[in-house]
Amino acid sequence: MKKLAFLQLLAVASFVACSSDDGTEEAPRLLTVEVTEHALTDEDGTTRTAAPITTESLSAFTLNYQSNYSSPLTKSNEGWNNPQWPVPNNDKIDFYANTAGTFNYNGGSPYVSFTMEEDAFSQKDLLVAKHEQIAYSDANGKVSLSFDHACAAVKFSICKTNTVAASDITVKSVVLLKVKNQGEYHYNEGWKNVSGEKYFTLTNGDITLKANDYTQLPCKYFFVIPQSKQGMELVLTYTVDGTQKTKTLTLDGEWDAGIEYTINIRVGSSFI
């Protein structure tokens, strides 16, 4: 009986060895990610020295593997959760990552369909990254992702001028009109089919202004799809010594991806 059992064990071991050698079975291989984020730049081209303002958005993202696979990745104290390598051999594969929107492989011309949140206080920055044509053996399963900001980050600040320093001025609302709020970010070509028209309320309470001392609007940073500002308007409603007034300011120029902009509004005399 012992001899028979020993022969059976040898047969099982031989079968497992053959399965491993002929490639019909393969142990799961973990995919590990290495993540970095490019900093925003100021309008003058200076790279921000402060920490990126959207670091928290990289606590989670979706990693897409060509057309058939996607995996949500989240960060913990131990690092990123590790999905399995999505193909069973060392064929080269393309990886695309996004923090918001909906990924579309589009027959090998991938893009993210993105719509801005309607609430200015809930805006999400779209960060994107890609690592194309990589096989498991290239880096022992490690995929390096360097995220770019696909949106512009806009900060609005407001003050009153010395010409009205003695007046009591309270801002009631600031509304940004005629913003294109949806589009497609193409990984190899940038933004396309930017469209729509929305307005966004940038305040959620009264703001008492100080002379020549700017107060940032409560929406903090407004993340917007890159576009021309031609035709956009800022409508400011405020009271001067109890009398309500409305001022409409027209915008021009461009908002480009990856740049932090500051729009300063002065009541008394105004400039953008």
Side-chain angles (χ1 to χ4, degrees):
M1 292 293 292
K2 292 183 179 180
K3 184 176 181 180
L4 178 59
F6 178 69
L7 290 176
Q8 289 175 336
L9 181 60
L10 282 178
V12 172
S14 178
F15 174 76
V16 172
C18 289
S19 296
S20 177
D21 290 342
D22 65 16
T24 57
E25 291 186 8
E26 190 174 272
R29 297 172 299 175
L30 290 181
L31 183 159
T32 58
V33 295
E34 207 172 53
V35 173
T36 57
E37 175 185 349
H38 289 146
L40 291 160
T41 58
D42 295 324
E43 292 179 70
D44 62 1
T46 303
T47 300
R48 287 177 53 90
T49 55
I53 61 176
T54 54
T55 300
E56 69 278 7
S57 65
L58 270 177
S59 62
F61 62 89
T62 301
L63 186 62
N64 307 283
Y65 323 123
Q66 298 180 169
S67 60
N68 298 324
Y69 304 90
S70 66
S71 179
L73 270 66
T74 55
K75 191 175 184 180
S76 66
N77 292 334
E78 291 74 35
W80 297 94
N81 65 305
N82 298 317
Q84 291 185 16
W85 192 267
V87 291
N89 53 45
N90 283 331
D91 291 346
K92 291 187 179 295
I93 189 171
D94 299 328
F95 292 93
Y96 304 96
N98 58 290
T99 59
T102 302
F103 177 79
N104 301 269
Y105 186 63
N106 192 34
S109 299
Y111 68 89
V112 175
S113 179
F114 180 76
T115 300
M116 295 169 58
E117 297 287 342
E118 293 191 6
D119 183 359
F121 294 82
S122 302
Q123 293 298 312
K124 295 180 176 65
D125 190 7
L126 172 61
L127 282 83
V128 292
K130 65 180 180 179
H131 195 150
E132 296 176 312
Q133 291 296 288
I134 182 174
Y136 183 86
S137 58
D138 290 343
N140 196 28
K142 181 182 292 184
V143 176
S144 298
L145 297 172
S146 184
F147 280 85
D148 291 313
H149 297 263
C151 290
V154 186
K155 178 175 70 174
F156 297 86
S157 296
I158 191 166
C159 74
K160 63 181 178 180
T161 65
N162 282 330
T163 58
V164 290
S167 300
D168 180 14
I169 300 180
T170 301
V171 174
K172 311 299 287 186
S173 70
V174 180
V175 180
L176 182 63
L177 302 177
K178 302 178 183 177
V179 178
K180 295 178 180 178
N181 69 317
Q182 56 191 20
E184 299 171 355
Y185 178 83
H186 290 248
Y187 283 83
N188 299 320
E189 300 174 84
W191 285 96
K192 289 185 175 183
N193 300 322
V194 177
S195 62
E197 184 173 296
K198 288 287 184 179
Y199 72 88
F200 295 89
T201 300
L202 306 178
T203 60
N204 59 0
D206 292 352
I207 302 173
T208 300
L209 300 186
K210 300 176 183 179
N212 294 322
D213 186 4
Y214 282 102
T215 299
Q216 187 174 352
L217 294 187
C219 69
K220 299 301 181 183
Y221 286 92
F222 181 71
F223 297 108
V224 60
I225 294 173
Q227 59 191 277
S228 170
K229 291 180 285 183
Q230 193 69 37
M232 282 189 201
E233 296 176 339
L234 270 175
V235 179
L236 176 67
T237 302
Y238 58 100
T239 61
V240 180
D241 297 328
T243 301
Q244 184 164 301
K245 299 178 179 291
T246 300
K247 176 70 174 178
T248 299
L249 306 171
T250 57
L251 307 184
D252 58 17
E254 301 278 339
W255 278 331
D256 295 322
I259 297 180
E260 178 189 346
Y261 297 88
T262 299
I263 292 183
N264 292 320
I265 307 166
R266 298 178 66 183
V267 176
S269 60
S270 60
F271 65 89
I272 297 285

